């Protein structure tokens, strides 16, 4: 019996030794084994790890001192510009050092009201005049507010005519606001005033932006063979454990991940949005963010909310009048009429209703689109509209990219690539993370090159200084591009309004978007770039706001883009 056991032990030992020798001789093959079975195991492991990731989120200490060392040190000129930009978007609010107010003491759109102010001399309204409405805010007890800071939107529209224009809101910082509109069409015109956020809610949003840049958090997967780990990443991370430094070598744009416990920083595979932080505000503050109560609720008029607009006055009538008409102080980028956008910036708007017209416009062109999903929407719109544009399969993740479409018959190349982190897409391969500035530096440019940029939606959770720094790098690259290839056309898509609820407001509020939009316009002013004003195009239209606007608005945006690329030559010759 013992002899048999000994015999089996020797056989077992021989088999184990043989297997070990086989493994050593084929270890390289095993390490590079990438069959479907391992891929499935890897995906399953990634999902399991991702489900446990939020447990180990870093603790932010309500200050940004740990971020002070991030990014390149700005020059004195950069610091001066940054101060100017921050001052230009300063927002009034509740009195300093005032204690948090109860909901009943905050702005209530139901108790608030507006009134249409009469014209000078009580005359009629004509095209070319300026209409003004006075808004008075009250709290939930019906008492007048004594300070400003409410975020209010205004538009003038005519449902019958399919017309609309964005209004300008002036805060008098005493509870009163003026909403002003240019009169641009003949016929009915109705005022619409909306409270997006009360001033007390804006104060909360401002605090979150400065103190909680972690409220959207990111992750990266690290993998080597069968071993993988997932860690938290962000532009700013508390120094609670060792970091992997992924700061861009060319722009100095910072990005960090916590170092995996068992893997090196070089083993990073991808980047992804990990989730949204919860419990950011107190129960009392949550009352300031209620759908149907104080988030995007209309303010009603105390009297008539509309007027009838007559044709422009005759010159003789104007000269003989003892009361001179008020000069137009407003400069909207355009307005809708019959649901078509009509720019006021000097460009002649063309309607590209047929795919053949779009093809002819883009013939021999290379269109490079960089940015977030709002410009990816343009890419998707164009490849749907133009049958000849065939998308080339790059095996890119859906809704992430990069994407490319080609019309070889007409020599059209259309490309899209997302901007670098922070980017809240599902999963982007680490090798595909590119900063727009670096991509622009790699373009040859020229008269047949069109560059389209949309960089805004993913920066709302960070202090404005982060956005300023990113745009500064992009601007420098654009200046270099336009210097070496002056014929290159650059088009920037601004931010737009979107649907808000109590949760979305804390991460993507229109107030954040408005502040970034004002910075963007200031930073590119005077540069040889063109603007598609998505903000006013979404505000002036009657359809509900959406992060990705509905097709009718997107069509008007694309028509504006194509009108820049292919201007109306007959109109240009006449002028």
């Amino acid at each position: 019996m013992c002899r048999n056991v000994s015999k089996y032990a020797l056989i077992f030992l021989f088999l184990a030794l043989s297997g070990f020798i086989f493994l050593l001789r084929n270890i390289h093959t095993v390490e590079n084994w990438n069959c479907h079975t391992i891929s499935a195991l890897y995906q399953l492991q990634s999902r399991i790890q991702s489900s446990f990731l939020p447990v180990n989120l870093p603790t932010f200490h309500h200050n940004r001192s740990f971020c002070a060392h991030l990014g390149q040190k700005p020059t004195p000129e950069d610091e001066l510009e940054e101060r100017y930009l921050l001052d230009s978007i300063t927002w009034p609010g509740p009195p300093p050092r005032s204690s948090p107010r109860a909901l009943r003491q905050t702005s209530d759109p139901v108790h608030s009201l507006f009134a249409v102010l009469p014209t000078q001399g009580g005359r009629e309204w004509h095209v070319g005049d300026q209409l003004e409405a006075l808004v008075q805010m009250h709290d939930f007890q019906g008492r007048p507010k004594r300070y400003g800071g409410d975020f209010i939107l205004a538009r003038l529209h005519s449902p019958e005519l399919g017309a609309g224009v964005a209004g300008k809101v002036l805060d008098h910082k005493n509870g009163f606001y003026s909403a002003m509109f240019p009169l641009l069409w003949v016929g009915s015109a109705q005022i619409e005033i909306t409270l997006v956020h009360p001033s007390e809610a804006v104060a909360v949003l401002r605090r979150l932006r400065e103190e909680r840049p972690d409220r959207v958090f990111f992750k990266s997967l690290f993998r080597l063979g069968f071993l993988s780990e997932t860690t938290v990443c962000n532009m700013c991370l508390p120094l609670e454990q060792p970091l992997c430094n992924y700061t861009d070598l060319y722009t100095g744009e910072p990005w960090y991940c916590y170092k995996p416990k068992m893997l090196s920083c070089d083993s990073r595979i991808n980047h992804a949005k990990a989730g949204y932080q919860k419990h950011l505000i107190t129960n009392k503050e949550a009352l300031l963010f209620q759908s149907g109560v104080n988030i995007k609720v209309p303010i009603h008029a105390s009297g008539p909310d509309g007027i009838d607009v007559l044709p422009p006055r005759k010159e003789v009538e104007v000269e003989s009048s003892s009361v001179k008409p008020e000069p137009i102080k407003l400069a909207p980028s355009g307005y809708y009429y019959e649901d078509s956008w009509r720019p006021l910036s000097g460009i002649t708007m063309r309607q590209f209703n047929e795919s053949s017209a779009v093809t002819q416009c883009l013939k021999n062109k290379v269109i490079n689109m960089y940015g977030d999903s709002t410009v990816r929407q343009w890419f998707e719109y164009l490849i749907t509209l133009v049958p000849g544009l065939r998308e080339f399969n790059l095996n890119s993740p859906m809704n992430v990219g990069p994407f490319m479409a080609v019309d070889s018959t007409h020599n059209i190349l259309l490309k899209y690539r997302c901007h670098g982190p922070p980017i809240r897409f599902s999963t982007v391969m680490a090798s595909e993370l590119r900063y727009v500035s670096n991509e622009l530096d790699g373009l040859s440019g020229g008269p047949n090159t069109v560059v389209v940029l949309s960089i805004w939606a993913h920066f709302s959770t960070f202090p404005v200084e982060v956005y300023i720094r990113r745009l500064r790098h992009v601007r420098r690259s654009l200046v270099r591009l336009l210097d070496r290839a002056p014929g290159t056309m650059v088009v920037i898509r601004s931010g737009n309004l979107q649907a808000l609820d109590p949760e979305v407001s804390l991460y993507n509020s229109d107030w954040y978007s408005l502040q970034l939009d004002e910075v963007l316009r200031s930073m590119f002013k005077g540069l040889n770039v063109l603007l598609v004003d998505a903000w006013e195009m979404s505000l002036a239209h009657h359809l509900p706001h959406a992060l990705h606007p509905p097709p009718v608005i997107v069509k008007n945006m694309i028509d504006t883009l194509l009108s820049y690329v292919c201007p109306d030559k007959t109109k240009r010759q006449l002028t």
Side-chain angles (χ1 to χ4, degrees), residues 158-322:
S158 173
E160 308 87 49
L161 300 174
V165 66
K168 179 179 177 61
V169 177
L170 177 64
D171 187 349
H172 298 291
K173 303 178 183 178
N174 58 3
F176 285 91
Y177 301 79
S178 291
M180 294 172 286
F181 313 88
L183 300 181
L184 300 168
W185 62 83
V186 176
S188 64
Q190 184 177 340
I191 295 175
E192 181 180 279
I193 308 290
T194 302
L195 175 69
V196 183
H197 295 301
S199 57
E200 296 80 10
V202 172
V204 174
L205 295 176
R206 181 166 44 209
R207 190 196 76 232
L208 289 177
R209 183 178 66 188
E210 302 305 318
E211 298 180 356
R212 296 302 304 268
D214 64 323
R215 59 193 188 282
V216 175
F217 55 99
F218 305 87
K219 64 182 179 180
S220 273
L221 175 70
F222 297 78
R223 180 163 60 90
L224 182 62
F226 291 102
L227 183 63
S228 65
E229 295 182 60
T230 300
T231 71
V232 172
C233 306
N234 214 318
M235 192 173 296
C236 302
L237 286 174
L239 303 176
E240 298 174 346
Q241 53 184 291
L243 299 176
C244 289
N245 184 353
Y246 298 110
T247 298
D248 184 64
L249 297 177
Y250 300 99
T251 63
E253 284 289 347
W255 193 257
Y256 294 85
C257 296
Y258 282 127
K259 187 180 184 306
K261 291 181 173 58
M262 301 180 64
L263 296 174
S264 72
C265 294
D266 294 335
S267 61
R268 183 173 66 145
I269 300 298
N270 62 30
H271 162 93
K273 178 188 73 176
Y276 296 87
Q277 293 275 19
K278 307 298 182 183
H279 312 298
L280 294 168
I281 56 178
T282 65
N283 292 336
K284 185 176 182 179
E285 290 172 334
L287 298 175
L288 302 172
F289 299 93
Q290 301 182 68
S291 298
V293 176
N294 45 24
I295 297 178
K296 285 199 174 180
V297 178
I299 296 172
H300 297 290
S302 59
D305 62 359
I307 62 170
D308 287 317
V309 183
L310 302 176
R313 291 186 179 85
K314 298 177 182 179
E315 292 184 15
V316 176
E317 178 186 347
V318 173
E319 291 175 0
S320 61
S321 174
S322 59

Side-chain angles (χ1 to χ4, degrees), residues 274-398:
Y276 296 87
Q277 293 275 19
K278 307 298 182 183
H279 312 298
L280 294 168
I281 56 178
T282 65
N283 292 336
K284 185 176 182 179
E285 290 172 334
L287 298 175
L288 302 172
F289 299 93
Q290 301 182 68
S291 298
V293 176
N294 45 24
I295 297 178
K296 285 199 174 180
V297 178
I299 296 172
H300 297 290
S302 59
D305 62 359
I307 62 170
D308 287 317
V309 183
L310 302 176
R313 291 186 179 85
K314 298 177 182 179
E315 292 184 15
V316 176
E317 178 186 347
V318 173
E319 291 175 0
S320 61
S321 174
S322 59
V323 181
K324 299 296 181 183
E326 186 175 3
I328 298 294
K329 303 186 185 70
L330 307 176
S333 62
Y335 67 104
Y336 287 105
Y337 192 80
E338 296 179 342
D339 257 353
S340 293
W341 185 251
R342 298 189 174 186
L344 295 172
S345 56
I347 177 182
T348 301
M349 187 73 162
R350 297 179 58 190
Q351 299 296 319
F352 292 83
N353 298 322
E354 303 294 332
S355 62
S356 57
V358 179
T359 300
Q360 192 59 36
C361 175
L362 298 181
K363 186 177 180 180
N364 297 321
K365 294 284 193 298
V366 177
I367 302 94
N368 301 278
M369 296 181 169
Y370 303 107
D372 53 43
S373 60
T374 61
V375 76
R376 187 191 70 219
Q377 186 183 26
W378 288 13
F379 177 94
E380 295 164 350
Y381 182 91
L382 283 171
I383 62 174
T384 302
L385 176 64
V386 183
L389 271 174
R390 302 298 179 86
E391 188 169 0
F392 192 82
N393 185 9
L394 299 175
N395 294 314
S396 300
M398 185 180 298

Side-chain angles (χ1 to χ4, degrees), residues 32-149:
N32 292 282
W33 196 17
N34 62 350
C35 65
H36 294 296
T37 304
I38 290 191
S39 177
L41 287 171
Y42 151 66
Q43 292 177 13
L44 177 62
Q45 184 186 28
S46 299
R47 290 195 198 99
I48 293 172
Q49 287 191 345
S50 298
S51 65
F52 290 104
L53 177 64
V55 175
N56 298 316
L57 287 177
T59 303
F60 273 64
H61 302 289
H62 306 293
N63 67 65
R64 293 186 287 121
S65 59
F66 53 84
C67 298
H69 65 288
L70 299 183
Q72 295 176 340
K73 181 175 175 58
T75 65
E77 293 79 11
D78 291 343
E79 290 181 337
L80 187 63
E81 180 189 42
E82 183 176 289
R83 177 45 48 202
Y84 165 78
L85 291 168
L86 294 175
D87 288 345
S88 71
I89 61 171
T90 300
W91 195 272
R97 293 184 296 278
S98 61
S99 58
R101 295 172 181 267
L103 177 66
R104 65 180 182 276
Q105 298 175 301
T106 65
S107 301
D108 176 21
V110 174
H111 281 93
S112 303
L113 49 87
F114 74 87
V116 179
L117 300 184
T119 61
Q120 294 182 6
R123 301 169 295 121
E124 311 106 328
W125 281 277
H126 292 258
V127 170
D129 290 345
Q130 180 174 292
L131 176 65
E132 183 176 350
L134 186 65
V135 183
Q136 185 178 22
M137 299 302 298
H138 293 77
D139 63 21
F140 282 83
Q141 297 173 302
R143 297 181 301 188
K145 295 290 292 292
R146 302 299 182 191
Y147 53 88

